[in-house]
Each structure stands twice: as structure tokens, then as C-alpha cells.
Amino acid sequence: MTRWNPRSPWLVGMLLSVVLALVTAACAGGNDSAESVDSKLSSQSTVTTLAGSATTAPSSAAPRDGFAPGTDSGEFRSVEPVIFQTTSFGRDIIFTAEMTVAVTDVGVAGDTAVREIAALGGILFGQRTTGGPNPVSVLTFKVEPADFSDALDRLGEIGEVRAQNVSASDVTERIVDLESRILSAEASVERLRELLSSAGGVAVVVQVETELLQRETQLETLRGQLRTLEDQVSLATIVVTLTEAEIRPGIDLVVTAYPGHDGVGLSCHGEPGLAVDEGNEATLCFEIVNTGDTPLTDFELVDPVLDITLDDLTPVLGEAADTLEPGERVMFALEIVAERDLRTQSRVGATPLNQEGEPLSGRTVASTATISISALDPGGVPGFSEGLSASLGFLADAGRVLILSLGVALPFLWLAPLVAWLYVRWRRRDRALVDPAADDPLGATG
């Protein structure tokens, strides 16, 4: 019978294999834990919310208002700020957010935003405001990372969130790298200072001082980069853009044309320019588009060249309703005969409406469009009327030339008598030189 020997090589090898297997499993478990933390950070790194699109958020976030998946509504709805977790897991993370909030009064909303952030202990870091018909205010806030999500909620309650972009950037490795480079730079600077204190020659001193200056400059640059990152980690940044909810009414007019008449403008759209034989038919197409974010009403269209208004046009596309919603369009047609070259000057105007359907006080929108119609000479043998017109035109041109000539000669008419008198004097003198008795009446009688 074999006795158990605790010093058996086979038994020792088996025990070492078990120990190595346990160590390997423990290392793998540690890596899995690190990977799980990194996956949590990456899953919460960026959250972007835009009006009119589905909200992207961590799985623990509650559903938000906005466009529900699968809906095709064209209405513009507000989007509430998403829930953003600011747990850092012992990492150095920079939290930033950009928001666009539509409000009824930009000035009042800006004061409200400052008070809400101040209540959390945050500060107003920057402000840029423009007035006029389209007021905009851009506010930059700094808050503690722990108050980041609460600050987003409070700012979102000021008005309607039109867009939101929230991100978290892990800069742990960059900070560790900068700290390591700073330690190396500090040690290098210290060695150069010791070398400078023991340098003997002037050339050596100058060389060491130059190198020391470069190393010190590099060290201060690294320290500045580290301070910047630490400041960004210690305070989250929120940039809020406040705009008025109804500040972008717009209208666009497009005028095209095509040759011929088809009854109701079935060939619209046409071309941006047209050339047809003189006396031929053509059709103009007028397309009106609401390019703003508010309904439009009280449309007016005039063209002094064509001498038309909106009542002279025939609806082709869309209903000729009193109100045109954002994004909607309507098209009209006008049949003409190209008797001459012309360049239209069409202008359309409208009045924007607020949410209650009432006209915005003092606000109008307008758009102008032009198109050139060339009437070409069809050629061929001219007829009697064309010949008569050409003859009359020639006579008219000749009359204009005659009148012009008289106008040029009139200032010089006084020269004619002078020239005639000089001519007579010259003739008499010439005859006197040839026959002196011709000018002596006594000699002639004697």
C-alpha cells in the first residue's frame, strides 16, 4: 500500500496549478469590474435631445414629452430635460450641457434663470444678449457636478426646451498623464538649477540658462493645462440660449413659367426664365411657402409690371385658405400672351399669427421674386402692317435727326451774314486789282 507523502513532487505541482487558477480567476473578475464601470460611463457619456426627435436617455430615465416614436405629427412640441446621472465612480469627469429654450420674454426669462442657478449655489459665468425684433440671450452657468441634473430641470421649466445636448467627458487619464509629466518636468528643472549653480564658464552658464528657461516654460504650460482640466471637473458648465417662442415668421415666393396654356397650370412648376415667339401663349406659376414657425394670414400679392393682384390668379396646388400653417405651400397660375419682353416684379406679403390665432402686433413678412419673359421675333416675310410700322419708324427717326441737326446749327446762324459780307468785300477787292477803273465811276464817264 502506497503511503501519502506531503513532499511528493506530483502533489506539489497539483497544488501550484490550483493556486495559479485561483489567481487568474481573481484577475479576470477585477477586469470585468473595471469594464463594467467603463461601460456605465460610456453609456452615460452623451445625451442629445432635439425637438421633433425621440429622446435618448439612460434606461432608468422616465419617458418625456415630445414626439412619441411612430408619430408623424408636424407640431413643434417642447422637450423636457432628460435625467442625467452625475455619479463619477471615482473618475475625473467634465459635465457640459447646451440648451435652447423658447420663452415669451427673453429679459424676464434671463433674470429667472440667474435666480434659479444662484439658489443652487451656481454662478453666471458669461452673458451675451441682443435685442431688436429677434431678441436672443446666451447665458453660461457654472454649477457643482452634484447639482448638474437639478440645474437642467430648473432651466427647462423656464420655457419650452427646443434643443438640448448633454455630455460627460472622462479626463482621468489626461489628468494622470499631466501629473506625471509635471513631476518629470519639475525634476528636470531642479537638476538644471543645481547644474547652473555649479557651472564654471560663461558659455556653459548661458547654455544651461537657455535650457532651464525652456524647461520652466514647459512646466508652467503643463501646470496651466492641469488647472484648466481640474477647474472643468470641479464645476459643470451649462450654456442656455433663450429665444422668443414666436420670432421666426417667414414667407417665400417662387415665380416660374412655361410655354402654352393647359387650362389650370398643370405643368407648374415651370422654368426660372422663358423665351417664346412674340404673340405666343405662356403660363406663370406663383408658389407661396410658409417658411416660418407661425401661421400666416392676410395674403397680398401684387405685380406692377403685369398689373395683377392675388384675385387675378387661379389656384393650382393647395387650398386657397385664409391661413397657411408652417411648412405648407400654395400655388397659383396666370395665363398671359408674350407680346413684348418683360421682367416681372412680384411681391407677396402676409401677417403672422400667435398661438391664440391673433395677428402679431406690428409684424409682417414679405418676399419678392422676378422672372424674365423674352418675346422672340418669329421671322418670315413682313406683312403690310409691319412694313407701314417700319416706314413710320424711319420717318420718325429722320425727323429726330433733322431736329437734332437744327439744334446744333442754331447757335452758329449769326456767322452766315458775316461770311457773306466778307465774301463780297473780297470779290470787290479782287476786281479792283484787276481793273482799277471798274471801281471809279468818274473814270468810266471820262
Side-chain angles (χ1 to χ4, degrees), residues 151-204:
L152 293 179
D153 292 337
R154 295 195 179 194
L155 293 174
E157 294 174 355
I158 296 176
E160 296 180 358
V161 179
R162 294 288 178 87
Q164 179 174 277
N165 184 9
V166 183
S167 63
S169 178
D170 190 346
V171 293
T172 304
E173 294 182 359
R174 291 177 58 188
I175 290 180
V176 172
D177 178 66
L178 285 174
E179 290 175 344
S180 175
R181 293 171 63 184
I182 288 173
L183 290 176
S184 299
E186 289 175 345
S188 178
V189 168
E190 188 63 27
R191 287 194 300 269
L192 287 174
R193 288 174 178 172
E194 294 176 356
L195 181 61
L196 180 62
S197 62
S198 61
V202 176
V204 176

Side-chain angles (χ1 to χ4, degrees), residues 293-445:
D293 60 357
T294 60
L296 300 177
T297 188
D298 296 337
F299 293 92
E300 294 182 356
L301 189 147
V302 295
D303 192 314
V305 177
L306 299 173
D307 192 20
I308 61 171
T309 63
L310 190 61
D311 296 334
D312 299 319
L313 306 181
T314 302
V316 175
L317 176 65
E319 298 181 357
D322 294 335
T323 303
L324 195 64
E325 297 295 331
E328 291 184 350
R329 64 187 63 210
V330 64
M331 184 175 292
F332 301 87
L334 175 68
E335 296 178 346
I336 64 171
V337 176
E339 297 178 348
R340 57 184 177 86
D341 293 345
L342 57 88
R343 182 176 180 83
T344 66
Q345 295 288 338
S346 304
R347 181 183 185 276
V348 64
T351 302
L353 303 176
N354 58 20
Q355 294 180 349
E356 289 74 23
E358 300 175 351
L360 292 177
S361 177
R363 299 292 296 274
T364 58
V365 291
S367 177
T368 303
T370 64
I371 186 174
S372 297
I373 307 295
S374 300
L376 305 178
D377 184 0
V381 179
F384 174 80
S385 59
E386 294 176 349
L388 180 61
S389 299
S391 300
L392 294 176
F394 174 77
L395 292 176
D397 293 338
R400 285 192 289 269
V401 172
L402 179 59
I403 294 174
L404 178 62
S405 301
L406 292 176
V408 173
L410 184 61
F412 303 97
L413 290 179
W414 62 273
L415 291 175
L418 178 61
V419 172
W421 181 77
L422 291 174
Y423 176 76
V424 171
R425 293 279 298 177
W426 175 76
R427 291 293 295 173
R428 290 180 178 179
R429 182 185 177 205
D430 187 52
R431 286 197 301 269
L433 291 176
V434 175
D435 186 7
D439 290 336
D440 187 4
L442 297 177
T445 57

Side-chain angles (χ1 to χ4, degrees), residues 178-310:
L178 285 174
E179 290 175 344
S180 175
R181 293 171 63 184
I182 288 173
L183 290 176
S184 299
E186 289 175 345
S188 178
V189 168
E190 188 63 27
R191 287 194 300 269
L192 287 174
R193 288 174 178 172
E194 294 176 356
L195 181 61
L196 180 62
S197 62
S198 61
V202 176
V204 176
V205 171
V206 171
Q207 184 177 1
V208 173
E209 286 182 344
T210 302
E211 186 66 24
L212 178 60
L213 179 61
Q214 295 178 355
R215 297 295 177 87
E216 289 177 341
T217 302
Q218 182 181 9
L219 176 59
E220 292 303 320
T221 301
L222 294 175
R223 287 173 175 171
Q225 295 176 359
L226 180 60
R227 286 193 298 269
T228 299
L229 286 178
E230 290 176 343
D231 291 342
Q232 293 176 348
V233 171
S234 61
L235 291 176
T237 303
I238 303 176
V239 179
V240 183
T241 301
L242 302 176
T243 62
E244 287 194 355
E246 297 172 283
I247 62 170
R248 295 183 300 274
I251 192 171
D252 189 25
L253 174 64
V254 180
V255 182
T256 57
Y258 64 89
H261 293 169
D262 51 13
V264 290
L266 296 178
S267 298
C268 292
H269 299 274
E271 299 296 331
L274 184 64
V276 296
D277 290 341
E278 184 178 348
N280 283 6
E281 298 174 339
T283 302
L284 297 178
C285 307
F286 300 84
E287 182 182 20
I288 303 173
V289 185
N290 185 347
T291 59
D293 60 357
T294 60
L296 300 177
T297 188
D298 296 337
F299 293 92
E300 294 182 356
L301 189 147
V302 295
D303 192 314
V305 177
L306 299 173
D307 192 20
I308 61 171
T309 63
L310 190 61

